[in-house]
Amino acid sequence: MDIEQARFNMVEQQIRPWDVLNQGVLDLLFKVRREDFVPDAHRSLAFIDMEIPLGHGQTMWTPKLEARVIQEVAVRPTDRVLEIGTGSGYLTALLASLAEDVVSVDIVAEFTAGATQKLRAHGFGNVVLHTADAARDWADEAGFDVIVLTGSTPLLSDAWRRRLKPGGRLFAIVGEPPVMHARLITCTGPDATRSVTLFETCVAPLVNAPQPAAFVF
């Protein structure tokens, strides 16, 4: 396989048509090698428009979703970023390429260990990884400029809004199958946010994400 041709095709045939037009984001996809973060058994699928299995019932997002999220949260060089769901570490690497610091949390220790190894191999020294259950909140009083939830949640905890600094952006996919909505929530002031629905999608839920109260007859 001609890897660079496959990468070019991924960008031009999958990602750009999905309204990812920010040239800085497109350039980043050539810089951070996605194939290095894909499990070895699925390396040949690195540039295909599909979710790639990671084990433990989890998958990598499609390339177009990864790129769209990076574009929407508009990471700045001074930003402090929180990622809930490290997975393969690829989205972590994209975020870390743009931000000052990234904190990434995953409930699966194997993912944390694997991502740590890959990120170090690629020279990312601005990432701190944790193994923990953070589907509902991640206690950090310093707050964040960007928060990305990499799994869906039927309900979005208000705790995430409170973790945003003024001007901070939160990306979350909210809802239940078969249709979920990707939302960008921006902190506009003390205890004030603005929410924009970006697109419809359907991805695997965060483990232990908050659930709607069950209706009892």
Side-chain angles (χ1 to χ4, degrees):
M1 179 177 66
D2 184 334
I3 287 181
E4 294 311 316
Q5 184 63 50
R7 195 187 324 277
F8 177 84
N9 292 345
M10 174 188 73
V11 170
E12 295 301 321
Q13 297 174 13
Q14 299 173 40
I15 293 171
R16 192 187 294 274
W18 219 52
D19 293 330
V20 180
L21 304 175
N22 182 300
Q23 193 57 49
V25 174
L26 297 176
D27 290 344
L28 185 61
L29 301 175
F30 287 93
K31 177 183 175 183
V32 182
R33 297 169 57 86
R34 191 174 196 267
E35 67 273 21
D36 292 346
F37 292 85
V38 173
D40 289 342
H42 303 299
R43 191 178 174 91
S44 64
L45 305 176
F47 308 109
I48 303 299
D49 183 18
M50 64 174 289
E51 294 183 345
I52 296 176
L54 295 175
H56 301 278
Q58 303 300 308
T59 60
M60 285 182 74
W61 278 350
T62 62
K64 65 187 180 187
L65 180 54
E66 294 163 339
R68 181 72 181 271
V69 171
I70 293 297
Q71 176 175 271
E72 296 294 347
V73 297
V75 180
R76 299 180 294 247
T78 56
D79 280 349
R80 186 166 187 254
V81 177
L82 173 64
E83 177 190 41
I84 301 303
T86 310
S88 71
Y90 177 64
L91 190 67
T92 320
L94 295 177
L95 293 166
S97 296
L98 301 170
E100 183 172 3
D101 296 296
V102 175
V103 176
S104 186
V105 187
D106 203 292
I107 198 169
V108 180
E110 181 182 327
F111 292 164
T112 305
T116 297
Q117 183 180 30
K118 292 169 185 174
L119 290 164
R120 285 178 179 170
H122 283 262
F124 289 102
N126 62 334
V127 181
V128 177
L129 296 103
H130 300 274
T131 300
D133 182 358
R136 297 166 186 251
D137 190 15
W138 178 253
D140 189 306
E141 297 309 315
F144 296 92
D145 302 288
V146 173
I147 300 174
V148 177
L149 307 185
T150 68
S152 62
T153 179
L155 297 175
L156 184 62
S157 170
D158 285 338
W160 295 121
R161 295 178 175 87
R162 294 194 292 269
R163 299 295 174 198
L164 288 174
K165 296 180 181 180
R169 289 85 64 205
L170 162 65
F171 177 88
I173 296 172
V174 183
E176 298 179 271
V179 178
M180 305 170 182
H181 293 92
R183 295 182 185 170
L184 184 69
I185 297 161
T186 303
C187 178
T188 57
D191 300 317
T193 57
R194 180 182 69 251
S195 180
V196 176
T197 298
L198 301 171
F199 52 86
E200 292 184 353
T201 188
C202 189
V203 301
L206 289 169
V207 177
N208 296 332
Q211 301 292 320
F215 184 80
V216 178
F217 289 96

